[in-house]
């Protein structure tokens, strides 16, 4: 008798791409990398009147023939910002979509184009609608041996009418021990907000004013290719999205400062046409928010 262990991985790369991978392998056997890939990894579609179409490519990354099935589900993120599948409901994106083909075979190293059509008149309301287009490898379970099954998802965001992302910053908390920033944010519009921004570790010995520091981090926002000045360190902040009509706490990781000395952590985050800036004193012994806009 074969004993199977089921492991679920939910990967959410930033600013926003969701992928679900289901691996089913014999107990005690290390699972190999997924045998299928998808391109692009996410898609945003502006809906036109009538039917809007699109496509994605499924890649066979293995040296064997694979059989794949495509399917659609609705989704959101739960309170822990983890992928959550939703039950089918009239007026949602999965119920307004047609995909073709549903089941197909890909030779080793080959690919298959999967097309979809969105019937906009079947959607309920303007704003952002979401669906996850899953691709699952089908395996023959009639014979003994290790069975591996991979499930990859491509999120599709369909925008009906005019999107209106609205963000409200409720709180920003810096965790000195874990070097993270937790942002409590409400998304009040009909589309997701994508909190993102930049941060700088500014040595206290050279820190003269908040306005100077905010101007510097502002240059990084207006010119993403702008490098961090040589005397400073820092980088880009990126978090998971907050879907319309929800309130979530999203976390961004920071690269630690060069040493455990005294610094001013200068932060700027933009989301939903709103901006928050804070200068936070970082030292081995205390933590103090000095200024905010």
């Amino acid at each position: 008798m074969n004993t199977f262990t089921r492991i679920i991985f939910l990967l959410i790369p930033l600013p926003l791409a969701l992928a679900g991978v289901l691996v089913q392998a014999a107990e005690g056997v290390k699972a190999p990398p997924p045998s299928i890939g998808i391109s692009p990894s996410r898609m945003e579609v502006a809906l036109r009147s009538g039917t809007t179409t699109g496509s994605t490519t499924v890649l066979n990354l293995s040296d064997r023939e694979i059989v794949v099935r495509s399917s659609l589900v609705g989704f959101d993120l739960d309170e822990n910002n983890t992928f959550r599948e939703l039950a089918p409901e009239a007026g949602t994106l999965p119920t307004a979509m047609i995909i073709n083909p549903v089941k197909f075979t890909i030779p080793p190293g080959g690919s298959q184009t999967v097309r979809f059509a969105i019937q906009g008149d079947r959607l309920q309301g303007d704003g952002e609608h979401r669906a996850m287009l899953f691709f699952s490898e089908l395996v023959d379970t009639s014979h003994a041996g290790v069975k591996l099954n991979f499930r990859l998802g491509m999120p599709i965001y369909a925008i009906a009418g005019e999107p209106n992302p609205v963000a409200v910053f409720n709180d920003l908390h810096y965790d000195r021990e874990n070097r993270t920033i937790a942002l409590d944010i409400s998304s009040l519009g009909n589309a997701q907000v994508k909190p993102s921004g930049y941060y700088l570790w500014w040595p206290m010995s050279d820190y003269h004013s908040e306005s100077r520091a905010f101007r510097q981090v502002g240059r990084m926002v207006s010119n993403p290719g702008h490098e961090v000045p040589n005397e400073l360190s820092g980088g880009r902040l990126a978090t998971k999205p907050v879907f319309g009509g929800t309130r979530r706490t999203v976390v961004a990781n920071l690269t630690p400062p060069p040493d455990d000395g005294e610094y001013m952590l200068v932060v700027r985050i933009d989301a939903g046409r709103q901006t928050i800036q804070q200068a936070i004193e970082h030292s081995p012994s205390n933590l103090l928010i000095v200024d905010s806009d």
Side-chain angles (χ1 to χ4, degrees), residues 124-244:
Q124 185 175 13
D126 286 347
E128 180 182 272
H129 299 266
R130 299 179 299 274
M132 186 70 75
L133 177 53
F134 272 125
F135 298 103
S136 304
E137 181 186 0
L138 303 181
V139 295
D140 182 3
T141 60
S142 61
H143 303 287
V146 177
K147 309 300 179 184
L148 297 171
N149 179 245
F150 300 98
R151 188 186 188 207
L152 274 69
M154 183 190 77
I156 299 174
Y157 301 95
I159 308 300
E162 188 67 25
N164 182 33
V166 179
V168 173
F169 294 104
N170 303 305
D171 187 34
L172 184 152
H173 174 71
Y174 168 56
D175 184 334
R176 178 182 175 278
E177 181 178 356
N178 295 311
R179 302 292 193 271
T180 61
I181 286 181
L183 181 65
D184 179 356
I185 188 169
S186 298
S187 178
L188 304 181
N190 63 5
Q192 63 179 266
V193 295
K194 306 174 184 178
S196 64
Y198 290 85
Y199 68 98
L200 292 172
W201 295 108
W202 205 300
M204 288 293 292
S205 59
D206 188 46
Y207 188 81
H208 302 296
S209 69
E210 288 81 16
S211 58
R212 177 190 175 195
F214 290 155
R215 283 197 302 271
Q216 183 64 60
V217 76
R219 293 190 190 102
M220 299 172 69
V221 173
S222 59
N223 181 11
H226 188 82
E227 295 183 359
V228 177
N230 291 333
E231 68 274 14
L232 305 177
S233 60
R236 183 173 182 179
L237 291 168
T239 69
K240 295 179 182 180
V242 182
F243 293 143

